[in-house]
Amino acid sequence: MKGYKIIDADVHNEQEDAALLPYLKEPWRSRVAASGIGYAGSGYYSPIGVMKKDSIPPGGGRAGSNPDFMIKQLIDGYDLDYAILTGVVYNISTTHDPDYAAAICSAYNDFLIAEWFGKHKAFKGAMVVATQDPLLAAREIDRVGGHPDIVEVMISSAARAPLGQRYYHPIYEAAERNGLPIAVHPGAEGGGGSTAPTSAGYPSRYIEWHTCLSQMFMAHLVSLVCEGVFVKFPNLKFVMVEGGVAWLPGLMWRLDKNYKALRSTVPWLTKLPSQYIRDHCYLTTQPIEEPDNPQHLIDLFNMIDAENMLLYSSDYPHWDFDSPDHILRKLSPEARRKIFRDNALQLYKLT
Amino acid sequence: MAVHYVLKEEDIPEGGFSLVQVDGREIGIYHVNGEYHAIHNYCPHQGAPMCAGLVSGTTLPSEVYSYEYGKAGQIIRCPWHGWEFDLKTGKALFNEKIRVRKYTVEIEDGKIGILITKSITGSGAIRDSIL
């Protein structure tokens, strides 16, 4: 008996596009009514699909769209204390019209507040902003970021440029002002106006695309540190969602080594880069790497004190869902408790 | 050791399946190419309800850039992480040491029976989880 309840940092509530209509102003309402939201997805095909097959609500509809079924299958099924609802609307950031993207985010945020938060006390949520216009994003954070059930601001890792660059700073300034972490989530890499999904270009298949999502997170994390985001915004925290974990030790070592030689190009950094990552960043666990020898992953965690930087996430109801009962079983009970509860409790200021 | 007769043959048409409760466990019975195969409704990876997964064929090992489709109706894909298992053997396609638990099916007088041996975890090759 573990004696505590779990916090799940990545739960995807979904909705039909038409569900946002009541929350949209014209001209966007007519557009969505006629044509749907129209995401610019990655274009990569998976034979498995995105949804786990047992998550379709009994009465029909999209997986993740029925709060009652989510409560039964996820909240009660795994005895969760809190589920951080992350939606899917962050993917709008690969589309082309900044005003439209901002309007979709605002409509979703109002929908989330009106139609999910009251359904169960476990539901907390990420408000979403589009990165095409950081000033509009900052205004949206000031508009809804004070809601007591909003616990973070989510942006897409599919972007036009590395996320540390000054262009994005109004988003971070607003998040810090509102006491909210920024969460970064993948999904539409390579789609629309975003960069190629890997450093080498466009791979042929989903298996390659999905594996290389970690590259995107590595590039964004190095950018965030080197551009001085954590110096400019000393109270800001970042949550790197669904980008993998096992790559982090190597990245820290390589970046620290380079800092020793190249510090003069980033003179605002007064600590080793890895220290900024430890002080400001969290990574969610899913999809957890699964070496043949489970101890190897624990060894990697121990090299960087990962137990203080990780947040358990399931990714419900997506296909690569990680059951809390079946991952990281070789961790010490103390480390498990941090990852499955205490780190999130502290970061999101939950009680 | 006992055979539990749970269904009649006509209950599961060719290509179909049925989920039954036997001796405290959920077992899926699949009718594939004239044969019946019974598997535990539990994926050895993370415990997903295996029988919520779709049954299909799949691509067989082949030369680079050629695709050979086979085992039609014989592959079940875990509803969570998509691991493929062969209903005839219970073995995962990526590693035959990973298996979904299979039960012996006995047909008698048009009835479908499931053979339950004493141990619920008797097959040493089954891994409960990866981590």
Side-chain angles (χ1 to χ4, degrees):
Chain A
M1 182 60 204
K2 63 185 187 295
Y4 59 89
K5 294 180 82 167
I6 292 168
I7 299 173
D8 184 342
D10 190 23
V11 175
H12 293 286
N13 52 306
E14 296 225 17
Q15 63 284 323
E16 299 297 331
D17 289 355
L20 298 189
L21 290 176
Y23 304 95
L24 278 165
K25 294 192 180 77
E26 294 293 2
W28 317 120
R29 183 188 296 169
S30 294
R31 170 175 167 176
V32 172
S35 308
I37 289 177
Y39 291 102
S42 74
Y44 287 93
Y45 165 76
S46 165
I48 299 169
V50 173
M51 299 304 176
K52 72 192 191 87
K53 299 291 180 284
D54 61 338
S55 59
I56 306 297
R62 290 188 187 184
S65 67
N66 182 322
D68 293 332
F69 186 63
M70 186 187 285
I71 290 165
K72 178 170 182 276
Q73 191 172 45
L74 181 71
I75 306 295
D76 294 342
Y78 294 94
D79 197 23
L80 298 187
D81 207 1
Y82 294 104
I84 312 302
L85 301 173
T86 50
V88 290
V89 173
Y90 48 81
N91 286 321
I92 203 69
S93 283
T94 58
T95 59
H96 302 296
D97 182 339
D99 293 316
Y100 178 66
I104 293 295
C105 290
S106 293
Y108 168 74
N109 292 331
D110 289 337
F111 165 85
L112 175 70
I113 289 167
E115 306 205 20
W116 277 86
F117 286 155
K119 292 286 196 322
H120 196 284
K121 62 179 170 34
F123 289 150
K124 299 288 177 180
M127 65 167 292
V128 65
V129 294
T131 53
Q132 290 92 328
D133 185 337
L135 293 174
L136 288 178
R139 196 183 302 169
E140 177 69 3
I141 294 168
D142 286 332
R143 187 181 75 87
V144 297
H147 189 283
D149 292 324
I150 297 284
V151 296
E152 67 186 359
V153 177
M154 181 157 273
I155 60 176
S156 171
S157 55
R160 296 175 178 178
L163 287 174
Q165 293 187 356
R166 67 195 71 185
Y167 160 87
Y168 298 102
H169 290 195
I171 302 176
Y172 308 150
E173 186 180 12
E176 188 189 49
R177 180 163 66 238
N178 284 273
L180 296 171
I182 296 277
V184 183
H185 198 294
E189 267 71 3
S194 66
T195 62
T198 84
S199 310
Y202 294 83
S204 302
R205 297 170 193 83
Y206 184 88
I207 183 175
E208 303 167 72
W209 175 88
H210 192 273
T211 301
C212 291
L213 288 176
S214 292
Q215 291 186 358
M216 199 63 73
F217 281 77
M218 296 168 79
H220 287 320
L221 187 56
V222 170
S223 172
L224 287 164
V225 172
C226 292
E227 296 276 352
V229 167
F230 302 121
V231 179
K232 251 181 107 173
F233 309 109
N235 296 312
L236 187 61
K237 308 289 186 190
F238 262 74
V239 185
M240 309 308 257
V241 183
E242 209 174 339
V245 175
W247 48 265
L248 186 59
L251 180 136
M252 284 178 159
W253 298 331
R254 189 175 172 94
L255 185 54
D256 283 354
K257 174 169 173 150
N258 279 336
Y259 174 79
K260 290 166 190 167
L262 300 168
R263 185 214 56 80
S264 62
T265 61
V266 285
W268 41 86
L269 299 186
T270 55
K271 299 181 282 188
L272 283 176
S274 62
Q275 193 61 46
Y276 289 99
I277 296 173
R278 288 176 209 280
D279 291 345
H280 292 272
C281 296
Y282 294 83
L283 290 80
T284 64
T285 56
Q286 179 281 338
I288 195 68
E289 288 91 351
E290 297 183 359
D292 289 340
N293 180 345
Q295 185 59 39
H296 289 166
L297 185 64
I298 306 305
D299 290 344
L300 273 179
F301 282 12
N302 290 339
M303 292 173 195
I304 56 165
D305 290 325
E307 66 192 61
N308 296 312
M309 304 174 59
L310 298 182
L311 309 174
Y312 166 71
S313 62
S314 74
D315 200 33
Y316 178 93
H318 290 172
W319 69 277
D320 39 357
F321 172 84
D322 275 339
S323 161
D325 302 329
H326 289 82
I327 64 162
L328 301 176
R329 300 209 294 200
K330 280 193 171 278
L331 278 174
S332 71
E334 298 76 24
R336 266 188 76 90
R337 185 183 166 116
K338 286 181 181 177
I339 293 169
F340 284 81
R341 178 177 176 85
D342 290 350
N343 292 343
L345 203 69
Q346 189 175 13
L347 173 67
Y348 296 125
K349 304 184 186 89
L350 301 169
T351 52
Chain B
M1 191 176 298
V3 178
H4 297 251
Y5 289 97
V6 289
L7 293 170
K8 297 181 198 135
E9 282 193 271
E10 59 260 35
D11 292 334
I12 309 179
E14 172 65 38
F17 91 104
S18 186
L19 196 60
V20 298
Q21 302 276 344
V22 182
D23 196 28
R25 54 204 115 177
E26 283 193 335
I27 294 174
I29 307 172
Y30 292 81
H31 189 170
V32 181
N33 300 328
E35 297 175 353
Y36 295 91
H37 300 285
I39 61 168
H40 193 193
N41 186 24
Y42 186 91
C43 180
H45 177 214
Q46 288 198 16
M50 181 68 90
C51 300
L54 301 181
V55 174
S56 68
T58 194
T59 48
L60 308 176
S62 61
E63 298 296 315
V64 171
Y65 298 151
S66 68
Y67 302 91
E68 190 184 336
Y69 194 82
K71 294 184 184 282
Q74 191 182 325
I75 302 300
I76 184 163
R77 193 186 272 283
C78 172
W80 291 1
H81 302 101
W83 289 14
E84 297 170 292
F85 294 86
D86 190 326
L87 284 167
K88 283 196 172 178
T89 63
K91 293 175 180 176
L93 267 59
F94 69 89
N95 179 349
E96 59 181 29
K97 289 182 179 166
I98 309 288
R99 289 192 273 163
V100 62
R101 186 178 178 86
K102 276 208 76 179
Y103 294 91
T104 302
V105 176
E106 301 204 347
I107 305 293
E108 192 174 308
D109 298 334
K111 293 180 294 184
I112 301 172
I114 306 292
L115 179 66
I116 299 291
T117 54
K118 198 173 173 186
S119 168
I120 197 165
T121 54
S123 175
I126 292 178
R127 296 172 61 180
D128 281 338
S129 76
I130 290 293
L131 286 173

